[in-house]
Amino acid sequence: MSNPEDPSSVKTESPPPPAAGSFVEQSQTPRASRFSITRSWRIGDLYKNGSLALHGLGLLFSFLAFIIMVTNKHGDARNFDDFEEYRYLVAIAILSTLYTGGHVFVQVHELLTKKQMFSRRNLALFNFVGDQITAYLLISAGSSAVPVTNSMREGGDNIFTDSSAAAISMEFLAFFALAMSALISGYKLSNQSYI
């Protein structure tokens, strides 16, 4: 018989050892999930801010292209509206300015008010299509004006051709900004849930 007062005679059952890695995995799971959530928030903010910055640059370059070309009038010698290619460049610069300006307005409004004006899915689709079309029109307008400017420069550089070249350069910079934004828009669109 065992003596109940003798502590060595009392059998104590020790808890079974934890399954391999179960305690470690349970203690690391919340930290890992927090890390992945905050990481996805940071990546989402990066795409949102990157898209805003690229549309802001597109707005700036499109507006500069418009202003430089519209003010490219030099008395009776040469005016931008004498050339169809330059009129096309101005029209696309206006269209791009309106598109990127509207886009910047929507994104700034969402950042300030924390309210969405449009659903995420519709906005992602509109951004993708709009960025693609506007970027194509910008590169088309810039490319159509380059040969005219080069042929005029063969006769001699002057302030008219320099201003035209500056406006064309602004169109190409606006194209690059919107082409990069189109990549971000495509990435956002591909990550949308359609279920």
Side-chain angles (χ1 to χ4, degrees):
M1 282 256 151
S2 63
N3 185 1
E5 294 175 9
D6 184 15
S8 63
S9 65
V10 177
K11 290 186 176 179
T12 59
E13 292 186 18
S14 62
S22 65
F23 179 72
V24 175
E25 288 174 6
Q26 288 175 359
S27 66
Q28 289 179 354
T29 302
R31 181 179 294 169
S33 65
R34 272 187 280 141
F35 177 72
S36 65
I37 290 171
T38 56
R39 182 177 176 201
S40 67
W41 284 341
R42 281 186 258 151
I43 290 173
D45 288 343
L46 177 67
Y47 287 133
K48 186 184 296 185
N49 295 336
S51 178
L52 176 60
L54 288 170
H55 280 104
L57 287 173
L59 173 63
L60 174 68
F61 293 138
S62 298
F63 184 70
L64 286 175
F66 166 70
I67 294 297
I68 292 169
M69 190 54 82
V70 168
T71 58
N72 198 8
K73 293 186 176 186
H74 303 285
D76 294 332
R78 287 185 177 161
N79 292 322
F80 84 93
D81 50 2
D82 294 336
F83 300 93
E84 184 178 338
E85 293 85 354
Y86 292 154
R87 290 195 306 265
Y88 178 53
L89 188 131
V90 168
I92 299 305
I94 291 170
L95 182 70
S96 176
T97 301
L98 292 174
Y99 169 74
T100 53
H103 204 287
V104 167
F105 172 76
V106 168
Q107 285 184 305
V108 168
H109 180 269
E110 286 183 1
L111 283 175
L112 295 178
T113 63
K114 306 292 186 210
K115 294 179 182 175
Q116 297 177 0
M117 295 178 76
F118 305 101
S119 72
R120 286 278 175 220
R121 188 178 308 157
N122 292 340
L123 189 61
L125 182 62
F126 176 75
N127 290 344
F128 180 68
V129 173
D131 289 349
Q132 293 277 336
I133 291 172
T134 308
Y136 170 76
L137 290 173
L138 284 167
I139 196 71
S140 169
S143 298
S144 70
V146 166
V148 173
T149 306
N150 283 341
S151 66
M152 281 191 275
R153 282 191 153 192
E154 289 174 1
D157 281 344
N158 55 33
I159 194 166
F160 180 77
T161 57
D162 290 344
S163 296
S164 300
I168 293 167
S169 299
M170 293 299 114
E171 289 260 339
F172 282 129
L173 290 173
F175 160 74
F176 286 123
L178 285 181
M180 293 300 294
S181 178
L183 291 175
I184 293 175
S185 300
Y187 177 78
K188 286 181 185 177
L189 186 64
S190 68
N191 285 339
Q192 290 294 317
S193 174
Y194 294 99
I195 297 175

